[in-house]
Structures are given as structure tokens and as C-alpha cells.
Amino acid sequence: MTSDAPPGAASVNREPDALPGIFSSRYLWVTIGACALVFLAAFESLAVTTIMPLVSADLDGAALYALAFAGPLATGVIGMVFAGNWSDRNGPVAPLLTSVAVFILGLFICGLATDMTVFLIGRLVQGLGSGAMNVALYVVVARIYPPALHARIFAGFAAAWVVPSLVGPFAAGVVAELTSWHWVFLGVVGLVLIAMLMVVPALRMLRGGSHGDVAGKPAWAHGKIAWAVLAAVAVLGLNLSARLDGAYVGVVAVAAILVALVAVRPLLPPGSLRAARGLPTVILLRGLVAAAFFGAEVYIPYLLAERYDFSAALSGLALTGAALTWAGASWLQGKLESSLSSVNAMRIGTALVLLAILLAVATAAAELHPAVIIGGWLFGGAGMGLMYPRLSVMTLSYSSERDQGFNSSALSIADSLGGALALASTGIVFAALLGLGGAWPFAGCFALAAVLSVLSLGLGSRVGTGVRAPEPQSERADVTGV
């Protein structure tokens, strides 16, 4: 590794060929089960983004369009903090199983909804489950795989996006057009159950938490859970502020953002909001790039449907290309692990995301051919693929076994809260510009995402000079019987 990599990250490259691969008999079912859950999350995410214009039209929910995306991200923060604390106390098995059950409940509520309020409740429940599931899955990786395989399993997670990226958006659009959008949610329930059948054998190979005695377990972080609830409430308030009159919008919006930032501070490593070197900047950068990318992406199918008369299926294809370049770039950065420094991966990635968003701004503002925004979004996906696996690997390299849950939840919190705040803010911008007509509401949303992307450009050089946590003393889970 070059000198900008986090201390201890060189262990990722130490004699990798001497280790069994992630698909060897030792790790086979763990890898299949984990990737199946990532596959599920990918399909659901791409499918919902594709069909939301139809849901909005059917349930008369245009005013709450952004909340359908920001709401699950906000409640996901609560799930992340709770699952991280639970995983540090007792291991990731129970949190993972519980989070999947909650996720299924959310899918059922969404699939059976007949008005926007019920649908939004389902999305909030769904976000709670998916947020917890994401953190528990990270801890599973940390407990089972040696550091030398972390880059490979995270590259495998990115590859798990390929199949749903190829068929997910288009299939969701076709299902919604031929039957009903309700079946996009209800059908995913079956995928969840299949994924769990694959995961359960792997989870049996995990022992409970590494802190077997009650005295040695981390305490329940009631205060942090309360802060997570406050952050989620602030994000929801920010979303709903767009429905207020006149000057109240700005006052409530600013207050909600400030409350969210105050509430999230205890949930992140010290120094994250001021970009302290090392892990704090890794966490902050993850939040900023998520805010920029996802804050823009959810409006791309909406723009194509509203301004270019794309069907739901064709609108979904706009997301397919970006997801493929995301997976491809993730695979490439894994192959170039020793030659592409983390700093350069961040610099290239943030620049590509900014380029993609600027092309989206130009398309909406100048009413360019839709091929510009569709082709431009390929660059955005590639940029995210370069950054996301590296940020995940660096987070684990800075973590000891005792704080894997907290740091993994912090990474996911930054990811979700960054996206939630961006979506809430773009929702306000969209509502404010509706009176101008045309594509100006979309151009305004993309412009705000571009500003967020600019903020991330200079952070890459600060990701690799922190202090690594001490190595865990306990042994890893015994998975030799897999």
C-alpha cells in the first residue's frame, strides 16, 4: 500500500494467495448468504427508484415524493445505531435475523398500501430494518473474514449489484405496468425468504459476541439510540417543512438541519464533522458522496418520465448502466489495490461523480437529449464504485473487534443521513421551483447535488493518516466446518 493508506491496511495485501478465497469451502456459505442479502438490497433500491413516479401518481403523493426516499434513510439511522450496539454486545446473528424480519414487515405494508400515508409508514419500517441489516452484515464480515479478504468480499458485494442492475429496474417497470406496482414490493418478500434460507447456515457458524461475560460487554447505548431518534425526527421535519407557508419553510428547514447535525455528532467518531484525518474523514466523505449521488439519482427516472415521456421500464434502464459501472469500477479498484492509492481512488471518484451531476444539471436546464444524462450517469456510477469498497475496507482497518459495530454503524449512518438530508433538501428545492414550470425543479435539485459533490473533492487526501485501533485479542469465529 502507498503511504496514504490507513496504518495497518498493508495487512490486506499480506500474502493473499496463501489464504483461501472467499468462495473456498471455508467461506462459501458465508459469502453466498452475505451476497444474497446485498443482492436483495440492490434489487429493492433500484426497483423502488424506478416505480416511484407511478406510486406518486397513483397515490397522489407528488408532494411527498422525496420523503418516500429520505424517510427510510432517516429511520435507518435508528436501526444502524441499535444494531451496531447490539452486535458489539452479543454478536451480529440476532441483529441480522431481527432486521430482516422488520424489513419484510415494511415490504408488506408498502405492498398493501392504498394511500400515501400508509405507504410512507411502510417505507419507514422498511428503512429501520434495512439500516440494521446493513450494519449487522458488516460485523459478520469483520468477525469471519481475515483482513486480507476484506477487499475481496466488499468487491463481491459490489458484484452482487450486477444481476439486479441488469434486470431490476427494467423488471420492476414491466411488473408495475403489466400488473401493479404493489407486486414490486410483495414480490421482493419472496426474495428475502430465499436469501435468509441461504444465510442461516452461515450464521450457525458464528459464535455469539466476543464478550462472553456480562461485565465485559459494552453497555446498551441508550443515549446514542436517543440521539439517533432525534436525528431521524429532524430529517422527517426537514422533509415536511416543504409543505409549510412562506418564511416558515426556511426557518424550519435550517432548524431541522442544525438539530440533525447536533444529534448525529455523538453517533460518529470524534472529529467527523470537522474532517479530522483518518477514520473521521472516511466517515464524512462517505456521507457527502452519498448525499450528492443519491440526492440526484432519485430524480433521474422522474425527469425522464415527466419531461421525456419514458415508460417506467425505460426510465429504470437509466439506472442500470450506472449500477453496472459501479460494480465494474469496484472490481477494478480491487484488482488495482496495491497500485491505486486510496487518495487517488477518492480524487478520481469524487471528480467522476461531480461530472455526472453537472451533466444532469445541463440536461435539465437546457433540455438536452436524454442520452446526455443517461450516459453521464455512467461516470457517476464508476466514481461510486471506486470509492465505496475502499471506504468500507478503511473503516474496518481502523476498527478493533470491540468497536466494529460502532464504526460500521457510523459509516452507514453517514451514508444514510447524508442521503436523507440531501433528499429532504432537494424536496424543498423541487417544491419551491414548481411554479417556474418546465424542467427547472429538476435542474435545481441537480444543482444542489453538485454543490454537495464539490464539498467532497478535497477530502480524499485526509483519509489515510489516522491511528489504527489495536488488533482484537479474541479469535475469529471458527468457520472451518462450513
Side-chain angles (χ1 to χ4, degrees), residues 54 74 110 186 209 236 263 298 301 322 335 339 352 400 448 459:
L54 290 178
C110 288
L186 297 176
L236 296 177
V298 298
K335 301 294 289 185
S339 57
L352 288 174
S400 68
L448 177 57
L459 295 179

Side-chain angles (χ1 to χ4, degrees), residues 23-221:
F23 289 105
S24 66
S25 60
R26 184 176 185 181
Y27 300 112
L28 178 62
W29 287 108
V30 185
T31 299
I32 291 176
C35 288
L37 287 176
V38 174
F39 172 94
L40 165 68
F43 183 90
E44 184 272 339
S45 175
L46 292 166
V48 172
T49 304
T50 300
I51 66 168
M52 267 310 299
L54 290 178
V55 176
S56 176
D58 187 32
L59 302 182
D60 193 23
L64 298 173
Y65 184 89
L67 182 57
F69 295 99
L73 294 176
T75 56
V77 172
I78 302 173
M80 291 166 194
V81 174
F82 189 80
N85 192 197
W86 193 359
S87 296
D88 284 339
R89 281 178 54 84
N90 301 104
V93 176
L96 184 58
L97 294 175
T98 302
S99 64
V100 171
V102 174
F103 183 70
I104 289 175
L105 176 62
L107 289 173
F108 269 121
I109 295 174
C110 288
L112 299 175
T114 56
D115 64 73
M116 195 65 177
T117 300
V118 174
F119 179 81
L120 289 175
I121 291 173
R123 290 290 287 159
L124 296 178
V125 174
Q126 192 179 342
L128 185 67
S130 63
M133 182 171 64
N134 187 44
V135 170
L137 193 58
Y138 267 58
V139 181
V140 167
V141 168
R143 296 286 172 88
I144 289 182
Y145 296 90
L149 293 181
H150 286 171
R152 297 183 186 179
I153 186 61
F154 284 124
F157 285 178
W161 280 73
V162 171
V163 173
S165 298
L166 284 170
V167 303
F170 182 76
V174 170
V175 169
E177 291 173 1
L178 295 182
T179 58
S180 168
W181 58 263
H182 297 271
W183 284 105
V184 175
F185 293 94
L186 297 176
V188 173
V189 172
L191 295 177
V192 177
L193 296 176
I194 293 173
M196 282 310 302
L197 290 176
M198 301 167 71
V199 168
V200 168
L203 295 181
R204 289 174 181 168
M205 300 302 131
L206 270 175
R207 290 197 290 265
S210 58
H211 313 290
D213 60 300
V214 176
K217 291 181 180 180
W220 278 110

Side-chain angles (χ1 to χ4, degrees), residues 6 9 138 142 150 154 269 278-284 286 388-400 403-412 463 467-469:
Y138 267 58
H150 286 171
F154 284 124
L279 179 62
T281 294
V282 170
I283 301 299
L284 178 61
R286 180 72 163 243
Y388 258 49
R390 287 292 181 98
L391 293 170
S392 299
V393 170
M394 285 188 288
T395 297
L396 292 184
S397 75
Y398 282 124
S399 305
S400 68
D403 61 9
Q404 287 164 352
F406 174 77
N407 289 342
S408 296
S409 68
L411 185 71
S412 298
V463 297
V467 178
R468 190 186 189 280

Side-chain angles (χ1 to χ4, degrees), residues 380-461:
M384 297 294 278
L386 284 176
M387 292 185 287
Y388 258 49
R390 287 292 181 98
L391 293 170
S392 299
V393 170
M394 285 188 288
T395 297
L396 292 184
S397 75
Y398 282 124
S399 305
S400 68
E401 186 169 318
R402 191 172 180 84
D403 61 9
Q404 287 164 352
F406 174 77
N407 289 342
S408 296
S409 68
L411 185 71
S412 298
I413 286 168
D415 199 340
S416 291
L417 195 62
L421 288 173
L423 286 165
S425 301
T426 54
I428 294 173
V429 171
F430 192 90
L433 297 179
L434 269 177
L436 296 180
W440 285 110
F442 298 100
C445 293
F446 296 143
L448 177 57
V451 171
L452 295 172
S453 185
V454 169
L455 294 177
S456 70
L457 285 177
L459 295 179
S461 61

